[in-house]
Amino acid sequence: MNWKKVLLIVFAAVSLAALYFAIHSSLHYMAKHPVPEVNPPEQRPAHSQFFWENDEKFLKLRARYQTPVRMAAFQTTLPDPLPGEEYNVGLAAEMLKGTVVQREGIFSMNQTLGPRTRERGFREGPAYAGGRVIRVIGGGICKISTTLYNVAVLANLEIMERRPHGMLVPYVPPGQDATVSYGTTDFKFRNTSGQPIMIWAEKRNTTLYMVFYGRAPAPRVIWHHRVLSRREMPVIRRYNSRLPAGEEKIVQPGAEGMKIKNWVMISRANGKTERKELGIDHYQPMPQIIESGK
C-alpha cells in the first residue's frame, strides 16, 4: 500500500477518535452542568378586588377617565425594608396613583415623579453603587420603577426605556427589575393598547400594589427566563474592633452574578400566541462582606 494512503488513513482515524472524544466530553459536561431554564415565576395575578376599589377617590377617577377594566396587576414585597426605603416607596406611590396615560402617550417615571429631594419629602434609602449598598436621598424608589415595568409588560405595552440594576435585587426574579436615577436613567413605556390607561399604586405594610385600568382586558402574558451563565459571589472578610473575639457579622449579604435571557409568551383571545423578546440582562456579582473580631 502506498505510504501516503497509509498516512491519510491513520490521520482520518485519529481525527475521528478526537472528534468522538470531544463530543463525548461535551455531552458529559452538559449533563453534569446544564444551563438552567428558569421556570416562569409567579405572575402575581390580580385579586378578585383590591382594597382601594371601593374608595370614593378611586371610583370618581375611574368614572372620569372611563377606565373600568383591570388590565394588569403586579405586587412587590420589600424584604426587610429600611425606614427611609419604605417611606420613599409610599410617597412615590401616592404621587403616581391616578396618573393617566392617553392612547399612544409616553409615560416617563422621572417626568411623572420629578426629582427625589429632601425638599419634596424624600428621605435617605438604599441604592447600589460600586458593588455596594449605599444610602442616598430617594433610595429605594426602584421598587416603583420595577413594579411599573412588570405591569407594563403584563399589559403588553411597548417598553421604550428600561435598564436593569447592576446587581441582582431581592424583590423580583432576575430580568424583571428596572432601575432609575433622576437626570440619567429613566423608565418609559408607550401606551399601545388603543385605550387610555389609569395607573393606581398603593403601599400597604411592606407590599407595593400596582394596577393599570383601561376599557378592555390585556392578553394573557407569561414571563420566561433562561440563565445563560453565572458568576460566583466573592466573599470579603474584614476586621471590626467593636466585635468580640470569634464573633462574625454579615454586613452585606452579597449575590451571585448572572447573564439571563428574558421573553414573554402572549396568548390572545382569538387563540393566537406570540413570543416577545425582552433582551439579555447582565448582573455583576455583589460581594458578601463579613466582619469579625480578633
Side-chain angles (χ1 to χ4, degrees), residues 74-86:
F74 197 82
Q75 66 189 59
T76 304
T77 298
L78 314 177
D80 301 322
L82 298 172
E85 174 184 21
E86 193 172 354

Side-chain angles (χ1 to χ4, degrees), residues 14-24:
V14 171
S15 299
L16 286 172
L19 178 62
Y20 171 81
F21 178 77
I23 293 173
H24 179 76

Side-chain angles (χ1 to χ4, degrees), residues 1 16 29 32 54 66 89 151 249:
M1 182 181 292
L16 286 172
Y29 179 85
K32 292 186 66 178
N54 286 325
Q66 300 178 27
V89 171
V151 185
K249 178 183 179 182

Side-chain angles (χ1 to χ4, degrees), residues 80-180:
D80 301 322
L82 298 172
E85 174 184 21
E86 193 172 354
Y87 177 85
N88 290 337
V89 171
L91 177 61
E94 285 295 316
M95 294 177 173
L96 181 63
K97 70 180 181 183
T99 298
V100 174
V101 186
Q102 297 295 341
R103 300 179 187 88
E104 296 302 319
I106 297 174
F107 171 89
S108 160
M109 178 165 159
N110 282 340
Q111 184 177 348
T112 301
L113 296 186
R116 276 72 83 179
T117 62
R118 288 189 188 275
E119 292 73 20
R120 301 187 67 241
F122 288 95
R123 300 176 182 175
E124 282 193 351
Y128 286 164
R132 298 184 301 115
V133 179
I134 63 171
R135 293 181 63 80
V136 298
I137 301 300
I141 209 72
C142 291
K143 281 76 177 176
I144 295 286
S145 55
T146 290
T147 309
L148 274 167
Y149 176 49
N150 280 271
V151 185
V153 168
L154 294 176
N156 195 32
L157 304 179
E158 178 188 351
I159 307 302
M160 299 190 65
E161 183 176 343
R162 171 259 173 184
R163 180 179 174 183
H165 289 79
M167 298 174 288
L168 294 175
V169 298
Y171 45 87
V172 290
Q176 290 184 221
D177 60 303
T179 185
V180 290

Side-chain angles (χ1 to χ4, degrees), residues 42-266:
E42 177 192 357
Q43 301 298 309
R44 295 169 173 83
H47 295 58
S48 57
Q49 185 175 37
F50 284 95
F51 53 87
W52 61 78
E53 290 185 333
N54 286 325
D55 291 351
E56 184 178 356
K57 178 182 178 181
F58 168 78
L59 292 172
K60 285 183 177 179
L61 288 175
R62 189 177 67 174
R64 178 191 303 174
Y65 299 117
Q66 300 178 27
T67 53
V69 177
R70 193 186 303 149
M71 297 175 60
F74 197 82
Q75 66 189 59
T76 304
T77 298
L78 314 177
D80 301 322
L82 298 172
E85 174 184 21
E86 193 172 354
Y87 177 85
N88 290 337
V89 171
L91 177 61
E94 285 295 316
M95 294 177 173
L96 181 63
K97 70 180 181 183
T99 298
V100 174
V101 186
Q102 297 295 341
R103 300 179 187 88
E104 296 302 319
I106 297 174
F107 171 89
S108 160
M109 178 165 159
N110 282 340
Q111 184 177 348
T112 301
L113 296 186
R116 276 72 83 179
T117 62
R118 288 189 188 275
E119 292 73 20
R120 301 187 67 241
F122 288 95
R123 300 176 182 175
E124 282 193 351
Y128 286 164
R132 298 184 301 115
V133 179
I134 63 171
R135 293 181 63 80
V136 298
I137 301 300
I141 209 72
C142 291
K143 281 76 177 176
I144 295 286
S145 55
T146 290
T147 309
L148 274 167
Y149 176 49
N150 280 271
V151 185
V153 168
L154 294 176
N156 195 32
L157 304 179
E158 178 188 351
I159 307 302
M160 299 190 65
E161 183 176 343
R162 171 259 173 184
R163 180 179 174 183
H165 289 79
M167 298 174 288
L168 294 175
V169 298
Y171 45 87
V172 290
Q176 290 184 221
D177 60 303
T179 185
V180 290
S181 177
Y182 190 79
T184 58
T185 306
D186 202 356
F187 170 71
K188 295 180 181 179
F189 68 83
R190 185 191 301 275
N191 179 5
T192 51
S193 68
Q195 56 185 318
I197 291 175
M198 182 176 73
I199 301 172
W200 203 267
E202 294 265 4
K203 186 186 76 67
R204 174 170 284 189
N205 299 322
T206 60
T207 299
L208 172 66
Y209 301 87
M210 195 174 297
V211 182
F212 285 5
Y213 293 90
R215 297 174 184 173
R220 179 173 172 78
V221 178
I222 300 293
W223 278 96
H224 292 269
H225 309 280
R226 182 175 177 82
V227 176
L228 302 178
S229 63
R230 299 178 185 272
R231 292 178 60 187
E232 187 176 351
M233 172 187 71
V235 178
I236 299 174
R237 295 182 177 273
R238 64 191 187 194
Y239 170 65
N240 186 338
S241 60
R242 291 173 293 181
L243 290 177
E247 183 174 326
E248 289 189 343
K249 178 183 179 182
I250 298 177
V251 296
Q252 181 170 286
E256 66 176 339
M258 188 177 294
K259 179 181 178 182
I260 188 165
K261 180 180 177 63
N262 314 297
W263 71 96
V264 292
M265 295 302 298
I266 303 166

